[in-house]
Amino acid sequence: MDMPTHVSARNLLSVCIITLLGTALASAGGSGGLVRAEVPIFLWCAGLAFGLNWLVYVPSAFARTEHYYDLTGGLTYLSVTGLAAVLSGPLDLRSILVVSMVSIWAIRLAGFLFVRVKRVGKDIRFDSVKTKPSTFLVWWTLQALWVLTTMAAALAIVTGGETVPMSYLGWTGFGIWLFGFAVEVVADAQKSSFKNDPSNQGQFIRTGLWAWSRHPNYFGEIVLWTGVALMAVPVLTGWQYATLISPVFVSFLLMKMSGVPLLERKADERWGGQEDYEAYKAVTPVLIPRPPRTGK
């Protein structure tokens, strides 16, 4: 299949701006950190993130498919983490923990999302963009920035070159990560189980963690990256503090961009006006969980 030839100058400008933002973040995160070939390792990691996504974009654009988008996101996390670990080694305990945490999270999430899109057949986010090459390129470039920004604090730990013993703050951050990761895994498993039950066809989930929050998986995601940021605080210096944008970025992305707003709109289109759904919305928080309560 031939790739459509229409290219938007606005989209290409967006790609350039997104790439520059990633470069600026990598330059700040790599400031004062370890270098290889006179280039900060953080910057090498940024180059890999963008290069890998652009590489997979090409065949995906020709095939007009989004099936490998999330899988590539997970592979980008793993590749960048691996490159940072290899170039920065030997690693201290904090760095080993962070490398393991990011890798476990990336393998789990990428596999989960890849299986989901294969089962469903498509990702609704790409319905209107996968046939527009320049728009599609913006999404792949954004994914590279997403990876880089999300794991910025983790990369600062691994590539920063500072060795500080794990303290109360470090172990607290690790504990917070474990809690967030557990919430995300359990919430995803509960929703998958619910959807796989034929008796629930056409229904919305409101049991388990989903009785406590309308988006408990996103809550877990925000919490786990907050834990990584806390682990980074003791080893950051100078411009490296810019990498603490990580949990802020994740929160903004999920709460204002492609996460909660998209799913809330789709749910309202499907179940809006139904008494049970409106009652569920009235008593269940959007994000931060709380014990279920009965509406008035």
Side-chain angles (χ1 to χ4, degrees):
M1 181 181 294
D2 294 333
M3 185 189 295
T5 57
H6 176 70
V7 175
S8 165
R10 181 178 180 179
N11 286 332
L12 293 181
L13 178 61
S14 296
V15 168
C16 292
I17 293 173
I18 294 166
T19 306
L20 287 174
L21 288 174
T23 303
L25 176 61
S27 297
S31 176
L34 300 173
V35 300
R36 290 293 181 269
E38 300 184 359
V39 175
I41 295 175
F42 207 128
L43 269 174
W44 284 114
C45 292
L48 177 60
F50 283 102
L52 181 58
N53 277 272
W54 289 334
L55 181 64
V56 182
Y57 156 77
V58 175
S60 297
F62 273 105
R64 299 178 183 178
T65 179
E66 74 279 21
H67 283 193
Y68 302 99
Y69 185 83
D70 289 319
L71 181 61
T72 302
L75 291 175
T76 304
Y77 276 103
L78 291 172
S79 300
V80 169
T81 301
L83 179 64
V86 170
L87 295 182
S88 304
L91 305 179
D92 65 351
L93 176 60
R94 189 188 310 268
S95 295
I96 292 172
L97 285 173
V98 167
V99 166
S100 301
M101 290 154 57
V102 173
S103 299
I104 291 170
W105 172 86
I107 292 170
R108 205 283 312 181
L109 186 64
F112 173 81
L113 293 175
F114 179 70
V115 170
R116 186 179 69 179
V117 75
K118 280 296 186 182
R119 184 181 68 245
V120 175
K122 68 174 185 177
D123 187 326
I124 59 175
R125 294 174 299 173
F126 297 94
D127 285 349
S128 62
V129 302
K130 60 189 177 184
T131 59
K132 304 172 184 177
S134 59
T135 305
F136 205 23
L137 178 59
V138 172
W139 278 77
W140 286 86
T141 308
L142 274 173
Q143 177 160 257
L145 180 63
W146 166 60
V147 170
L148 195 64
T149 308
T150 301
M151 65 181 304
L155 284 175
I157 291 173
V158 179
T159 69
E162 290 289 329
T163 301
V164 179
M166 286 287 286
S167 61
Y168 175 79
L169 185 60
W171 288 115
T172 298
F174 179 65
I176 290 173
W177 181 89
L178 285 175
F179 171 72
F181 182 71
V183 169
E184 184 176 46
V185 170
V186 171
D188 283 341
Q190 289 176 341
K191 193 167 188 179
S192 292
S193 178
F194 179 86
K195 288 187 172 183
N196 290 335
D197 186 343
S199 65
N200 294 324
Q201 185 174 3
Q203 301 296 314
F204 61 92
I205 184 171
R206 47 186 157 167
T207 55
L209 291 177
W210 300 85
W212 292 56
S213 166
R214 303 210 295 272
H215 303 279
N217 52 339
Y218 289 160
F219 171 75
E221 179 87 346
I222 292 169
V223 168
L224 69 87
W225 289 113
T226 300
V228 173
L230 284 177
M231 291 181 68
V233 170
V235 298
L236 298 179
T237 60
W239 283 102
Q240 292 176 3
Y241 280 100
T243 62
L244 294 180
I245 194 177
S246 169
V248 178
F249 172 78
V250 172
S251 300
F252 177 78
L253 189 67
L254 293 179
M255 295 174 64
K256 300 297 183 181
M257 298 291 287
S258 66
V260 170
L262 176 63
L263 294 182
E264 286 285 300
R265 184 170 63 253
K266 291 295 182 181
D268 288 342
E269 291 173 357
R270 188 170 187 181
W271 298 295
Q274 294 184 16
E275 184 177 350
D276 55 351
Y277 175 70
E278 297 298 339
Y280 170 72
K281 283 187 66 177
V283 300
T284 309
V286 174
L287 187 70
I288 301 176
R290 71 163 177 247
R293 59 185 177 87
T294 303
K296 296 181 180 179

